[in-house]
Amino acid sequence: MPSHVAIIMDGNGRWAKQRGLPRIKGHETGAESVRAVLRACKKAGVHYLTLYAFSMENWIRPKEEIAGLMSLLSRFLRKNAHELHENNIRLRVIGRIEDLPAPVRKELLRVIDETKDYDEGQLILALSYGSRAELVEAVKKIAGEVKDGSLSVEDIAEETISQHLYAPDVPDPDLMIRTSGEMRLSNFLLWQLSYAELYVTDVFWPDFREEQFAQALESYARRHRRFGDVK
Ligand code: FPP
């Protein structure tokens, strides 16, 4: 069983288009998939779930779609916070949280704070997230430590990079799922996914529920992870 699953939730727009619905309906139904997968993680014993909910690149989308997604996120938090409390799940955000509109940011910070001591699982939302930007920020912090003398260049190791990312204590994902068939990483967790198993399904995110998640876990269970060894 993977301890950490990361998901690129893709295909909401195409799901809606196929049905002659506005794109936001795809995102709304996608939020139901988030609930379903969160529950499935609890059942299966997956401790960390990281979801790519809004990339830095997504800011170029039409204003109405961005506003719709932001208000959906606020509603999702208001409607589902109790489930995080009941299940002892900690909410975290990776990304440039400061870029988000104030009402969403406020809601997020509130739930993040209220759930910060929970330890049954973690829901990590990547919001205004870009992996290259995360690495640039890490390099800047490391350079600052070298400059002020608290770190020497010789001591910079892979762990140094990991320790300066947004969620340094979270183990790397074991499994990365992408829906809607695209074979791309799209600037998602580039460092952290180095040894992850990849699973791509043609199913659009709004149709990705318990059954599809179970199929991904089954596929993962059949893999033989070698981490570079010959075994
Ligand atoms: C990609 O589909 C999806 C997004 C950019 C947003 C993901 C957001 C949600 C699932 C909504 C709720 C999230 C939470 C955490 C409550 P797309 O619009 O790029 O689809 P397309 O490629 O078919 O156009």
Side-chain angles (χ1 to χ4, degrees):
M1 197 53 71
S3 153
H4 184 176
V5 176
I7 308 184
I8 301 180
M9 311 181 287
D10 198 9
N12 294 349
R14 276 162 286 169
W15 181 93
K17 195 172 175 200
Q18 267 186 355
R19 289 161 178 76
L21 297 167
R23 293 177 58 84
I24 193 66
K25 286 282 167 213
H27 298 312
E28 280 171 14
T29 310
E32 292 304 313
S33 298
V34 171
R35 284 159 54 86
V37 168
L38 188 58
R39 288 192 190 136
C41 280
K42 185 186 150 62
K43 268 196 216 153
V46 172
H47 195 81
Y48 302 90
L49 175 66
T50 299
L51 301 176
Y52 206 2
F54 196 85
S55 72
M56 273 176 65
E57 291 76 21
N58 286 152
W59 289 113
I60 60 170
R61 292 198 174 197
K63 272 201 190 73
E64 315 77 68
E65 183 169 346
I66 295 175
L69 273 168
M70 293 298 148
S71 97
L72 176 60
L73 192 57
S74 289
R75 255 182 295 144
F76 178 87
L77 291 169
R78 281 197 302 274
K79 268 173 57 182
N80 295 289
H82 72 96
E83 212 161 310
L84 300 179
H85 289 295
E86 284 156 23
N87 293 297
N88 254 297
I89 295 170
R90 176 176 173 192
L91 177 75
R92 300 175 75 162
V93 167
I94 54 171
R96 297 173 50 90
I97 199 169
E98 64 275 18
D99 290 350
L100 302 172
V104 189
R105 205 168 57 225
K106 216 175 120 195
E107 197 82 47
L108 278 166
L109 292 173
R110 185 177 58 77
V111 182
I112 288 170
D113 187 58
E114 283 171 4
T115 63
K116 66 179 189 303
D117 297 322
Y118 294 166
D119 57 5
E120 290 279 311
Q122 298 199 8
L123 170 61
I124 303 160
L125 299 181
L127 289 168
S128 194
Y129 177 84
S131 186
R132 288 185 170 187
E134 178 180 34
L135 287 165
V136 168
E137 283 186 41
V139 169
K140 282 185 179 164
K141 285 185 231 159
I142 293 167
E145 288 172 25
V146 169
K147 198 173 163 196
D148 72 20
S150 59
L151 179 69
S152 71
V153 171
E154 295 68 38
D155 289 337
I156 297 176
E158 290 187 7
E159 294 72 47
T160 321
I161 311 277
S162 299
Q163 282 159 9
H164 289 80
L165 300 177
Y166 293 129
D169 54 300
V170 173
D172 289 344
D174 304 290
L175 170 66
M176 198 284 282
I177 300 171
R178 181 165 189 150
T179 56
S180 95
E182 309 292 349
M183 301 281 186
R184 282 194 291 276
L185 285 180
S186 302
N187 203 14
F188 186 49
L189 305 174
L190 301 179
W191 176 272
Q192 299 90 323
L193 290 175
S194 294
Y195 290 100
E197 295 293 324
L198 308 182
Y199 178 87
V200 176
T201 169
D202 286 336
V203 171
F204 292 144
W205 177 251
D207 286 331
F208 192 91
R209 300 289 165 100
E210 285 92 336
E211 190 191 328
Q212 289 72 20
F213 187 67
Q215 281 165 7
L217 293 184
E218 267 168 41
S219 164
Y220 175 84
R222 288 194 300 271
R223 312 273 178 103
H224 185 52
R225 300 182 82 192
R226 294 199 300 269
F227 298 99
D229 205 343
V230 288
K231 283 176 271 187

